[in-house]
Amino acid sequence: MTAAAPLKSGRYATRGASWALLVLCFVALFGVQRQIDRETDMYSKINEVLYVRTGTTLRALCLGNEGLMADIYWTRVVQYFGRGHLEGGDTKYQLLAPLLRITTDLDPQLIIAYRFGAIFLMTNRPVGAGDPQSALQLIRRGIVANPDYWRFWQDIGFVYYWELHDYKSAARMFSIGSSRPGAPFWLKALAGTVAAKGGDLQTSRFLWSEIYRHADTDAVRSTAEAHLATLKARVDMDKLDDLLESYRTKTGRAAQSFYDLHSSGLLSGVPKDPSGVPYVINPDGHAALGKGSKVDLRLLQ
């Protein structure tokens, strides 16, 4: 018993010394980490330099490891963007486009770099770079490298639609993408809707006619019919507005109803919308849908 007691107390002493040493190490590590953080912050602006501006040079140095190097650069893109996002302020993301260029030069099939990189580029500052033109260039390069990937056409269409408000170009991109392998039917529908929003009613009618012609479900066919009816009504009302203006010029007064235009020989009868309800003249002198019409003009919005 007397020999065991010193042995037991020795173990406790050793354990206590170990714990004390561990605590001291954590304290020392905390101080070292703070110094590293200070130095990292001090040189962070200096480190935001690209010594290689394109992936072509790097590909020659990779010795067959382009994929690995592309993953490394993509990680750097995410870190660079994430740091700028967390820091806030007036971050300009000047290296974002060059970093993405290098990444996709190294691996032209790295889909995620094109798609998420375009989001980083086009999103308005201070959240993103606010550079939709660079986003377009990036996605175009993705299309060249991956011509049958329909989602790139969707992505480039959204840049035109949301950031540049170029509805005609957006509709054209969606339409082209809808013909790519595996593209869903709704991409053509989206092209038709956007074309109408941009005022290109002829293109919109063609696209919705194609959707109706190739519809494989009643729901798709009904949706196409509704859009075609709305487009026809819009075209009808534009033409009627022209006739109303002609009547005003000819008679010197505004028409009270379309019977006036019929009596003057400008119309062969009272015009009706696609649902069979006669058009009316609004108090502002423009053609409008009559009460009870089943045409939904909100489909053009």
Side-chain angles (χ1 to χ4, degrees), residues 259-274:
Y259 287 104
D260 292 341
L261 272 67
H262 172 63
S263 301
S264 67
L266 291 174
L267 282 175
S268 58
V270 177
K272 296 181 180 180
D273 69 30

Side-chain angles (χ1 to χ4, degrees), residues 15 29 46 120 123 184 215 218 232 282 294 296:
R15 183 179 299 174
L29 181 62
I46 298 176
F120 297 162
T123 303
D218 291 338
K232 184 180 185 308
N282 269 345
K294 295 180 181 179
D296 189 357

Side-chain angles (χ1 to χ4, degrees), residues 143 146-151 153 175-184 187:
I143 290 173
N146 308 271
D148 289 334
Y149 188 66
W150 67 266
R151 290 189 182 276
W153 295 97
S175 181
I176 295 172
S178 69
S179 65
R180 291 298 184 267
L187 196 59

Side-chain angles (χ1 to χ4, degrees), residues 86-106:
L86 290 174
E87 289 177 354
D90 193 26
T91 305
K92 294 182 173 59
Y93 298 103
Q94 293 177 338
L95 297 188
L96 187 56
L99 280 170
L100 286 164
R101 176 69 184 243
I102 293 173
T103 302
T104 52
D105 277 347
L106 289 167

Side-chain angles (χ1 to χ4, degrees), residues 179-260:
S179 65
R180 291 298 184 267
F185 83 93
W186 55 259
L187 196 59
K188 187 179 287 291
L190 184 60
T193 300
V194 173
K197 183 178 180 68
D200 190 353
L201 301 184
Q202 183 176 356
T203 299
S204 184
R205 289 182 69 178
F206 168 76
L207 292 169
W208 280 112
S209 295
E210 287 294 293
I211 294 169
Y212 178 82
R213 193 161 64 90
H214 296 287
D216 53 4
T217 67
D218 291 338
V220 174
R221 190 174 294 105
S222 296
T223 299
E225 284 180 335
H227 279 83
L228 287 170
T230 302
L231 289 165
K232 184 180 185 308
R234 182 69 272 168
V235 171
D236 286 348
M237 288 187 289
D238 287 343
K239 291 180 178 178
L240 290 172
D241 282 345
D242 290 339
L243 292 176
L244 289 169
E245 181 60 32
S246 296
Y247 180 86
R248 187 181 297 108
T249 301
K250 180 180 178 180
T251 65
R253 59 186 178 84
Q256 300 302 305
S257 72
F258 286 112
Y259 287 104
D260 292 341

Side-chain angles (χ1 to χ4, degrees), residues 108-163:
Q109 279 70 53
L110 190 58
I111 301 298
I112 190 174
Y114 296 109
R115 302 200 70 200
F116 282 89
I119 294 173
F120 297 162
L121 286 167
M122 76 177 187
T123 303
N124 290 331
R125 293 171 57 189
V127 178
D131 188 2
Q133 293 298 333
S134 291
L136 290 177
Q137 292 175 12
L138 178 65
I139 302 174
R140 288 191 186 109
R141 295 180 66 246
I143 290 173
V144 171
N146 308 271
D148 289 334
Y149 188 66
W150 67 266
R151 290 189 182 276
F152 281 153
W153 295 97
Q154 170 191 308
D155 295 340
I156 199 170
F158 280 134
V159 176
Y160 277 116
Y161 184 90
W162 292 113
E163 303 301 327

Side-chain angles (χ1 to χ4, degrees), residues 36-84:
I36 291 174
D37 291 341
R38 283 196 294 269
E39 292 182 2
T40 300
D41 183 66
M42 183 185 305
Y43 294 108
S44 61
K45 300 304 179 184
I46 298 176
N47 289 335
E48 288 186 0
V49 175
L50 286 180
Y51 297 102
V52 179
R53 304 296 295 187
T54 69
T56 306
T57 304
L58 284 176
R59 288 180 68 89
L61 301 174
C62 284
L63 302 177
N65 295 307
E66 294 90 347
L68 176 60
M69 186 62 71
D71 291 339
I72 292 173
Y73 264 85
W74 171 241
T75 301
R76 185 177 177 186
V77 168
V78 175
Q79 291 175 336
Y80 175 72
F81 181 79
R83 185 173 72 246

